[in-house]
Amino acid sequence: EEYYDLNDTNLSKIHFSNILAFDNSKANHLGSALPQGVVRIYNYDTLSNKRFIGSTNITNIKENELVELSVGESKEVIGEEKVISSDNNGLKKHISYTIKLKNSSDKMKVVKLKRALKDNVGEVTVKDSCKKQCKKENIDPLTNLYTIELKPEQIYELEIKYLINSKVE
């Protein structure tokens, strides 16, 4: 998950949340409905001491449902998005972005980045540089979800271009 830190330039910072995801199933030693409330999350440190890493509120979660818990902001993956060009010629609009992601940890990280256009003003064509370690899922005609595997200490750049043909009514 990401949120933006916008400034006066064409550059915006992207902040990611750490998400802990698991199935509420018997295989995971769960499998009963989880009631609405606060979930506290602990982890073991290198000396096998239990360490509190965060808490989050949940709604009612049914048996065998996917549970996703936000456990704070990631300090290891940072990103920035920059508008390279924006051209509006009457009924046609071209917008190009570059998104630069950096994994500053010594472990592989998986980042999910959702990109959507706010409203449908016509026919939209999306071109991007998503290949190999990047997978794209079309959620709807205006929304794409990019899943990117970042190797340790890797910088990854993704370019996205939108061509919008407005319809005259």
Side-chain angles (χ1 to χ4, degrees), residues 103-117:
N103 177 6
S104 60
S105 79
D106 59 356
K107 296 180 180 138
M108 172 83 82
K109 298 288 181 180
V110 176
V111 174
K112 292 191 179 202
L113 194 63
K114 189 183 205 180
R115 285 290 164 268
L117 294 176

Side-chain angles (χ1 to χ4, degrees), residues 142-154:
L142 298 175
T143 309
N144 291 312
L145 179 66
Y146 295 92
T147 303
I148 303 162
E149 293 181 0
L150 295 172
K151 296 174 185 166
E153 303 295 330
Q154 181 185 13

Side-chain angles (χ1 to χ4, degrees), residues 72-96:
E73 186 178 320
S74 172
K75 304 289 186 219
E76 298 169 331
V77 178
I78 56 172
E80 62 183 31
E81 178 176 62
K82 184 173 185 175
V83 177
I84 300 172
S85 66
S86 180
D87 184 26
N88 193 350
N89 291 336
L91 298 177
K92 290 187 179 182
K93 186 174 187 178
H94 298 265
I95 306 168
S96 294

Side-chain angles (χ1 to χ4, degrees), residues 6-60:
L6 298 172
N7 56 35
D8 293 336
T9 66
N10 287 339
L11 187 68
S12 61
K13 300 285 184 195
I14 305 172
H15 304 272
F16 293 91
S17 297
N18 287 317
I19 304 293
L20 177 62
F22 56 91
D23 287 319
N24 180 16
S25 65
K26 291 196 185 322
N28 288 332
H29 307 287
L30 295 167
S32 300
L34 300 174
Q36 178 179 338
V38 176
V39 175
R40 289 177 183 78
I41 302 152
Y42 296 86
N43 196 2
Y44 290 99
D45 63 17
T46 55
L47 300 173
S48 298
N49 295 318
K50 198 184 317 183
R51 198 175 55 120
F52 178 74
I53 59 171
S55 65
T56 189
N57 290 313
I58 62 168
T59 58
N60 294 326

